[in-house]
Every structure is written in C-alpha cells, then in structure tokens.
Amino acid sequence: MKPLLILAAALTPLAAQAANPLVTDDTGTQDTGNWQLELNSEWMTLPTSRQQQWSSTLTYGVLPNLDVAVQAPYQRTRPDGDGWTSGVADLQLQAKWRFLERERWSLGLKPFVSLPTASQDRGLGNGRATTGANLLMQYALGRWTFLANAGYTWNNNSIGNRQSLWNASTAVLFSATPTLRLVADIGLATQPDPTTKTKPAYALVGAIYSPTTDLDLDVGYKRGLNPASLSHSVQAGATVRW
C-alpha cells in the first residue's frame, strides 16, 4: 500500500496554495495588521487512488506589500482496492512580497518551506523539509484580471522522487457582477516520479462569490489533461478577512 500512497502524494501540488479555488496565485496582500483565514476542501480522483484534502491557511499582513502565512493541511488517501489512510500532512510556512507595482500590473515573490511534521511511514509527508518559491505576475484590464506564475521546488526526499521540480500556470478572472467572479486556470509541473517524463497538467474552472468585502465563497472543478495527472477533482472553500 505504501508505494501507492507515495504516488498519490507525489501527484499532489507541492507549491503554496493560491486564492481558492485557483492554483495560480495573485500578487495581492492583506496590508499591515490585517488577517485572513482560508478554508479549503478538495475531493480528488487520482490514477491509482482517491484522496480528500482539507487545508486552513492563516495569513497576516506585516507590511502593505508583505504577508506571512502558515498552512495546515489534513488528508485522507485510499489506494484502489485498499482502505483509507488519514492524518495531518506537512505544515507549510509562506511569505508573499509584492516587490513591483504599476498602474495595471504588479510582480511578486512567494517563497515557502514545508516542514516534515507528517508521518512519512504512512505516506503523508516527505520526511524532510521542502523549499521553493513562485514568481507571481498580475495584470488588470477593466473587469478582467490575468495571472501568471512560474515556480521551483527543492523536493528534498528519501523515497527516490525527483528533487528539482518546476511549475508554470496562468489564470484569468472575470468580474461578472460586483459580487461574482468567474475563474479559469491551466498549468503544468515536473513529474516527481523519475520513471516517467510526462508532466502532470490540469485545467480548472470555478467561481468566487463575495457577499461582503471580507467574505469569499468559492467552488471549483479541476480536470487532468494527461495520464500523469489527477483524473478530476471538485473543491469548495471560504475566505474570511478582518
């Protein structure tokens, strides 16, 4: 069972979580002294298993253009023909720095480190600290917002997976109404499994409903674009700011 759990973990994105339900992150920050709590759930069908994930991310605005955050994930994995394995996954520390801003566009950097807090023996974690960073770009044009990310992860591990992982993605958000945004996201990444060169790729569509400026409710559907990717997933979440 353990090799299948490791494969399921390998197909789970290693990069820091973006604003729900997107994978591609924006350059927005919380501003000094403000807090944000993101709660997200995702139900995934992978090539050889099923997986459920819940994550909570608490963010604090240190400066107008600098955030720090901690993400605590929990997951359940069931390889095909076997039982469920569940537990806390590796804790992740994040920062987001918007280092360049103009009238319509901005650039940011989002470094992160995943701490080996989960059980490697149960296939829930790497057993070693993992680090990386994503370069963020955002461009606004009327009711449209365009995002692009490029990132690198040093996938430090003892289970034979690739250590150098790259990812790239792009997304678009459309403000259909003052309270409703429609989103689409597409991306690909290095395959952690060294036995194959096919890069996992995905496409995602979703919606974000904001009844107030301090509350977002979101849903999303993600589809894998090749056999190395997840088959599909559905997700839902909520974001609260204060």
Side-chain angles (χ1 to χ4, degrees), residues 37-57:
L37 177 62
E38 296 172 275
L39 303 173
N40 184 59
S41 59
E42 185 172 9
W43 295 264
M44 292 179 283
T45 300
L46 300 168
T48 59
S49 67
R50 305 291 184 270
Q51 190 172 99
Q52 301 170 358
Q53 287 190 337
W54 296 267
S55 66
S56 56
T57 306

Side-chain angles (χ1 to χ4, degrees), residues 13-94:
L14 291 170
Q17 175 67 37
N20 303 330
L22 295 171
V23 176
T24 307
D25 207 349
D26 57 56
T27 63
T29 52
Q30 300 309 305
D31 206 346
T32 308
N34 292 335
W35 293 85
Q36 175 180 272
L37 177 62
E38 296 172 275
L39 303 173
N40 184 59
S41 59
E42 185 172 9
W43 295 264
M44 292 179 283
T45 300
L46 300 168
T48 59
S49 67
R50 305 291 184 270
Q51 190 172 99
Q52 301 170 358
Q53 287 190 337
W54 296 267
S55 66
S56 56
T57 306
L58 183 63
T59 303
Y60 177 72
V62 179
L63 297 171
N65 64 338
L66 177 64
D67 285 351
V68 294
V70 57
Q71 183 181 85
Y74 181 90
Q75 69 181 39
R76 300 178 71 228
T77 302
R78 181 177 65 82
D80 292 343
D82 214 321
W84 288 96
T85 296
S86 60
V88 176
D90 287 343
L91 192 73
Q92 189 174 98
L93 305 179
Q94 309 169 3

Side-chain angles (χ1 to χ4, degrees), residues 86-230:
S86 60
V88 176
D90 287 343
L91 192 73
Q92 189 174 98
L93 305 179
Q94 309 169 3
K96 185 193 288 189
W97 173 41
R98 188 176 61 256
F99 61 85
L100 184 62
E101 188 169 12
R102 295 294 184 264
E103 182 180 357
R104 294 184 180 274
W105 61 276
S106 57
L107 295 176
L109 185 67
K110 191 170 186 177
F112 62 91
V113 56
S114 294
L115 305 178
T117 55
S119 171
Q120 182 185 17
D121 292 337
R122 299 173 63 203
L124 297 170
N126 245 5
R128 298 179 181 179
T130 297
T131 61
N134 281 293
L135 180 64
L136 318 176
M137 186 278 290
Q138 178 171 324
Y139 180 78
L141 184 63
R143 298 163 69 183
W144 298 86
T145 301
F146 301 92
L147 309 175
N149 290 181
Y152 173 79
T153 298
W154 174 249
N155 183 34
N156 190 17
N157 69 89
S158 60
I159 58 178
N161 282 337
R162 288 190 175 98
Q163 292 186 325
S164 291
L165 306 178
W166 296 88
N167 62 274
S169 63
T170 185
V172 59
L173 299 86
F174 175 69
S175 297
T177 73
T179 59
L180 179 64
R181 286 172 289 169
L182 305 178
V183 303
D185 197 327
I186 189 169
L188 78 166
T190 304
Q191 169 63 260
D193 184 353
T195 63
T196 179
K197 295 183 178 180
T198 304
K199 292 178 171 59
Y202 72 88
L204 178 150
V205 293
I208 303 171
Y209 173 61
S210 305
T212 73
T213 57
D214 294 325
L215 175 63
D216 297 337
L217 305 174
D218 65 89
V219 293
Y221 175 77
K222 188 190 298 178
R223 185 81 180 181
L225 300 181
N226 57 43
S229 310
L230 81 171

